Amino acid sequence: MAQASNPAVSFDTREEVDFVVVGSGAAGGIMAKELAAAGHSVVVLEQGPHLQAVDFKHDEWGYQHNNDLVWSTRHGNRQTFRRNENEEATLQESVLGYAHNVGGSSVHFSGNFWRFRPIDFMEASVRGTIAGTNFADWPISYEDLEPYYTKVDWEIGVSGLQGPWDPPRSRDYPCPPMPIKGSDVLLERAAKQMGLTSYPAPVAILSQPHNGRPACIHCGFCNGYGCEVNAKSSSMVTMIPLALATGTCELRTMATVSQINTGESGRVTEVVYFDENGTEQAQRTRAAVLCANGAETPRLLLMSANSMFPDGLANASGFVGQNLMFNGYSSVVGLFDEPVNAWKSVPTTRVVHDFYELDESLGFYGGGGIDGRHPTAGTPLGFALSAPDMFGSPSWGAEFKENLAFQFSHCAAFDGHSTSLPLATNNVTLDPNYQDDFGRPAIRCTYSDHPDDLATMEWFLNKTVELMEVAGANSINGFYPETGQTGNVHLLGTCRMGDDPMTSVINSDHRAHDVPNLFMCDGSSLVTGGRGQPTMTIMALAFRAADRINQLAQRNEI
Amino acid sequence: MQKELLSRRAFFNSLKDATGKSVILLSMPALLHACRESRQARLAGEDFQTITEEEAIEFDAITARIIPTTETAGAREAGVVFFMDAVLGDSREEQHAILKDGLRELQSAAVQEFDVAYFHLLDARQQDQLIESISDTSFFFTLRYLTIAGMFSLPEYGGNRDFVGYDVIGYQNRGAWTQPYSFYDADFTERGE
C-alpha cells in the first residue's frame, strides 16, 4: 500500500493552526485546498490511509466482501441498527457505508453526478410542508449554488451534456459525455417509445484528459472501487494534491478524531485524535471544519458533549444526528437476446429525468430519476450470487453454471433513484452498548422509510418495469426495499443548514449556530436529499462554504 | 470405486468391541488413509492452514456439485477449496463453525441415506440428492457463498486459478475497453441514433 508523504509542512500539535479539517473526502478535500490556497495553515485529519491509483485493483472480494475500503464491523468500525427507538439496536456488519481513506467516498463512489435543481431548494414552499416530517426549504437557492456547481465541473472534472430537464448552467461541461453503453441504448430506445427523454448522464469521470489527468479507459470498475488511472474525479486526485502543494496544509493519515474540545468561552480550542500508533494527540486550532460525512460528523459532535454543551457540541436545537436521509432506490432487471455487456465502462451513460417531481394527484410526495446499469455493477461474484434470485433460475449445479454464462453478458438493469423525507426519528446516535476499536461509542442508526418514500420507490419500480418491457427484455424481475432500508451510502441531513437555530445546526455559512469557530460541511449539511447522487451537491457546498469561511476569516469574524 | 468405500457405519461397527474415545481418535489416520486411497482423495497431503484435510476433501466434493466441471471448468479446477482455506482463516471463525457443524450433519445424512460415511465417496446422483435436502440451511448458504466467491475472486485469494471462473461466464479481466461494447451500442452507432 502506498503511503503519501507530506514533506511540505508539518505543524506541532501545540502550535495553534488556523484550521483543522476533519475528513479528506468529497467536502474535506475541497475545504483543505480552498482554505490553504487562501494562505491559512491547515491540518487535515483523515482516519484512513493515503492510497494511490497503484493500490487499486479489480478486487471484488477485497472491496465488496472484505470491506477493505469501507471498513465495517470486521475492521473494527462497529455500527448498530434498529427500525425505531423502541427496538434494541443490533450489531451489523455494515449499516452506513463510507470509505476510510484520503478522498473518502469520492474515491470509490460510482461517479454519478447530478446537480440538484431549483425545486430541491424550495420544495416545501412550492409543494407544501408534510405533516410529521421536517420537510423544509433550504436557506440558499440553486442560484446561490450554481457558480459553485460550475466550479466543481471545471476544477474536479465532469463529463456530460446539458439535458432538456437540467437546471440552467453558466458554463458548459468541461468534458463531453461518456460513449453510450448497450444497457443505455436499450433504456434510450424504450424511453423514446414511451415519449420520455433519455440524455447523457453526467459523471465525475473524465471522458477526455482534463487538468493533467487522463481519460477513462472504461475498465468497468467504478462503483465501489478506486480508479486505477486517476480518471475518476475524487478529492484524492483533484484537491488533496493541490492542498498539499500550497505548502500550508499538512495531511495526517490514520488519525481518528475522538473529540472537539472547547474552552471557557465556548469556542473550539483543539481537536483530539488517536494517531497511527493509537496514541492520543490534540491539535490546537483557531477553528475546526468537520467534513467527516453524515454519520461521522454528528457522531463526533455528540461525542464532544461537555458541561457547557451537555447534549453534544452545537446541539442546542437537538437536531444533531436527526433527519437522516438515504435516497430511495428500485431496480428492475431483464435479459436480452443479444449481448449487452453492461459490465464494461462506467456504471451508467444515460438518465431519464422526466419524473423528477411526481404528480401530486398520486397522493404521495416524491420524485426521482432512472438510469441504465448492469444489475450488480458489472462484477462477476455479486452477479453469480444474486442471478438465481433475479431470474428465477437454479442456484447451484450445471444448469446454474450454464445460465450464468448467458445471463452475465445478456442482462441489463433500469434503476430508480428517489427522494427521502427528513424525519426526526431517522437519526445517528451513540450506541450505549458497543464501541469501536478506539473505545469510541459505535454509530447507532435508527431508520424507517417514510410511507411516501416507499410509495415513490414502488412507483419507480413499476415505471422501470414498463420501460424494460418496452425494451423487449425477457425474465423481467424487479425489487425495491418494500420493508424499508436498513442502511445506505448516502448519509444526508444530520446537521442540517438553516436560518433558525432551533431547527437547524449550521447557518448558511456552514457555521454552527452555537459555536462561532466551528463549521460543518458534508452530506450532513443538506436540508433535503434531492433525488439521489448527492456528491455533486456536497462538493458544490464545500466550495461555497470555503468561500464563505475565507471571507469571514478575512474580516476577522471567526 | 464402490469397493474402496469405507462407510462410517461400517467403520464404527468394526470398533464395536473397542471402548473409549481414544481408540476412535487413534483410528482417524487409518480412516483418512482409506480416503486417500479413493480416487476422489486427490487433496490428501495438501498443506491447508485453516481447514482440516477431511474438511478439504469433503468441501471440495460439495463445491464441485455447486459449480460442477462440465465442458468448462468448475469449482474444482478453480481451486475453490484453497480459497476457502485462505479466507476462513481471516477472522471468519463463525462461518467456519457453521461449515464444521453442517458437514457433520451432512455426513450423518450420508450414513443414514446411503450407508456411506463421507460425502465425497457418494456418486454424483447421491451427492446431488443430499445437497438438495440441505439447500435451505445456513450450511449450504455459507458453502454456496464461498464457492461462488472462490470461483470469481482474484486468483491471489487462492481460487479462480488462471481466471477459469471468469472464462465460464465470458468475463474478461481486461484493464481497458473501447466501443463497441456490445451488439446494442454497435447497432446504435451504425444506425446513427
Side-chain angles (χ1 to χ4, degrees), chain A residues 214-333:
Chain A
C216 173
I217 56 173
H218 308 283
C219 75
F221 280 77
C222 303
N223 199 353
Y225 300 82
C227 182
E228 297 160 30
V229 297
N230 287 337
K232 191 192 289 184
S233 302
S234 68
S235 283
M236 182 191 82
V237 299
T238 61
M239 291 290 109
I240 293 296
L242 297 180
L244 299 180
T246 62
T248 64
C249 177
E250 180 188 354
L251 172 62
R252 293 185 195 150
T253 57
M254 307 304 289
T256 305
V257 179
S258 58
Q259 189 150 326
I260 311 294
N261 282 343
T262 54
E264 290 180 1
S265 63
R267 292 172 59 85
V268 171
T269 55
E270 60 184 11
V271 177
V272 182
Y273 66 98
F274 295 100
D275 67 16
E276 59 186 340
N277 300 315
T279 304
E280 193 171 79
Q281 307 282 359
Q283 176 64 53
R284 297 190 64 205
T285 186
R286 295 184 182 87
V289 189
L290 308 188
C291 303
N293 77 43
E296 293 278 20
T297 289
R299 176 205 210 182
L300 183 52
L301 293 172
L302 295 173
M303 286 192 299
S304 300
N306 58 35
S307 58
M308 190 176 289
F309 300 99
D311 297 321
L313 202 55
N315 196 26
S317 64
F319 268 43
V320 168
Q322 291 194 6
N323 303 308
L324 175 65
M325 297 173 285
F326 283 163
N327 292 129
Y329 69 92
S330 63
S331 185
V332 59
V333 297

Side-chain angles (χ1 to χ4, degrees), chain A residues 431-455:
Chain A
D431 194 285
N433 301 317
Y434 294 95
Q435 293 84 38
D436 68 8
D437 284 352
F438 293 97
R440 303 182 305 169
I443 289 171
R444 178 176 62 183
C445 173
T446 306
Y447 192 91
S448 289
D449 288 298
H450 188 278
D452 284 12
D453 298 338
L454 292 170

Side-chain angles (χ1 to χ4, degrees), chain A residues 57 59 180 189 395 397, chain B residues 66 144 156-157 179 181 193:
Chain A
K57 298 181 288 187
D59 183 1
I180 193 168
R189 286 173 172 171
S395 64
Chain B
I66 294 173
R144 177 179 179 271
E156 67 192 53
Y157 292 103
Q179 280 192 307
Y181 306 128
E193 288 182 61

Side-chain angles (χ1 to χ4, degrees), chain A residues 57-59 61 65-66 74 179-180 189 217-219 221 338-341 344-345 385 388 395 397 401 405, chain B residues 65-66 68 70 72-73 90 92 140 144-145 153 156-157 168 171 173 175-177 179 181-184 187 193:
Chain A
K57 298 181 288 187
H58 294 175
D59 183 1
W61 175 258
H65 297 263
N66 215 32
R74 65 179 276 107
I180 193 168
R189 286 173 172 171
I217 56 173
H218 308 283
C219 75
F221 280 77
E338 302 291 343
V340 181
N341 293 341
K344 297 179 183 177
S345 194
L385 286 171
S395 64
K401 183 183 168 191
Chain B
R65 298 313 300 162
I66 294 173
T70 54
T72 55
D90 181 20
R92 288 187 169 80
F140 178 75
R144 177 179 179 271
Y145 171 65
S153 294
E156 67 192 53
Y157 292 103
V168 165
Y171 169 73
N173 186 35
W177 293 97
Q179 280 192 307
Y181 306 128
S182 74
F183 167 85
Y184 294 102
D187 186 56
E193 288 182 61

Side-chain angles (χ1 to χ4, degrees), chain A residues 79-82 95-98 134 293-296 298 319-327 419-429 443-450 453 485-496 523-524 526-529:
Chain A
Q79 297 182 354
T80 63
F81 179 80
R82 59 181 182 173
V95 180
L96 307 179
Y98 46 89
N134 288 323
N293 77 43
E296 293 278 20
F319 268 43
V320 168
Q322 291 194 6
N323 303 308
L324 175 65
M325 297 173 285
F326 283 163
N327 292 129
T419 42
S420 277
L421 283 163
L423 306 173
T425 48
N426 288 342
N427 51 50
V428 168
T429 53
I443 289 171
R444 178 176 62 183
C445 173
T446 306
Y447 192 91
S448 289
D449 288 298
H450 188 278
D453 298 338
Q485 299 183 78
T486 56
N488 205 302
V489 295
H490 296 174
L491 312 173
L492 312 173
T494 48
C495 293
R496 65 160 35 176
S524 73
L526 274 63
V527 181
T528 54

